[in-house]
């Protein structure tokens, strides 16, 4: 991607660093998304999933309000990565201890 930006969008060269940082979050997004979508399809877990999603959204917004004035878009990039990791961990724990443990019994 940096080569494409350098060639076709040279005005966006400073964004290359942000793109590299944001790419760290890709595995966490793709690992968490299927489980979250399955939970969204279940009425039993829908309210909990929405509340957990709102929690991670609030976490992201709060940290962005703190770090964007200090670090600009690079700070926002890191906050996005941290938020995606947090979301992955929260939903992994929820699925593991609430959903899978109930089916084992």
């Amino acid at each position: 991607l940096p080569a494409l930006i350098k060639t076709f969008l040279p005005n966006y060269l400073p964004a290359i660093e942000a793109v590299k940082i944001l790419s760290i979050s890709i595995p966490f997004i793709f690992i968490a998304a299927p489980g979250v979508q399955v939970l969204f399809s279940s009425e039993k877990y829908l309210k909990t999933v929405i509340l957990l999603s709102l929690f991670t959204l609030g976490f992201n917004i709060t940290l962005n309000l703190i770090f964007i004035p200090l670090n600009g878009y690079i700070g926002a990039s890191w906050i996005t990565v941290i938020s995606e990791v947090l979301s992955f961990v929260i939903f992994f724990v929820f699925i593991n201890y609430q959903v899978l443990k109930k089916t084992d019994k």
Side-chain angles (χ1 to χ4, degrees):
L1 187 59
L4 292 174
I5 292 173
K6 287 178 186 175
T7 304
F8 297 109
L9 302 166
N11 293 338
Y12 292 95
L13 286 175
I16 291 174
E17 186 178 353
V19 170
K20 288 179 181 179
I21 294 167
L22 289 169
S23 69
I24 297 168
S25 66
I26 292 171
F28 298 100
I29 294 168
F30 280 103
I31 293 170
V36 172
Q37 292 303 316
V38 169
L39 292 174
F40 268 132
S41 68
S42 170
E43 242 182 80
K44 182 177 182 180
Y45 300 112
L46 184 60
K47 188 175 183 178
T48 305
V49 171
I50 290 172
L51 291 174
L52 291 173
S53 297
L54 288 173
F55 172 76
T56 56
L57 174 66
F59 175 82
N60 183 289
I61 291 170
T62 302
L63 289 184
N64 275 319
L65 289 172
I66 295 167
F67 287 101
I68 287 177
L70 300 173
N71 304 103
Y73 66 93
I74 298 300
S77 301
W78 280 112
I79 298 308
T80 299
V81 171
I82 293 166
S83 295
E84 291 301 333
V85 171
L86 175 67
S87 180
F88 166 76
V89 169
I90 286 173
F91 283 105
F92 177 81
V93 169
F94 178 76
I95 290 170
N96 196 32
Y97 289 106
Q98 294 297 317
V99 179
L100 297 178
K101 296 297 181 187
K102 288 184 178 181
T103 60
D104 287 343
K105 292 180 181 178

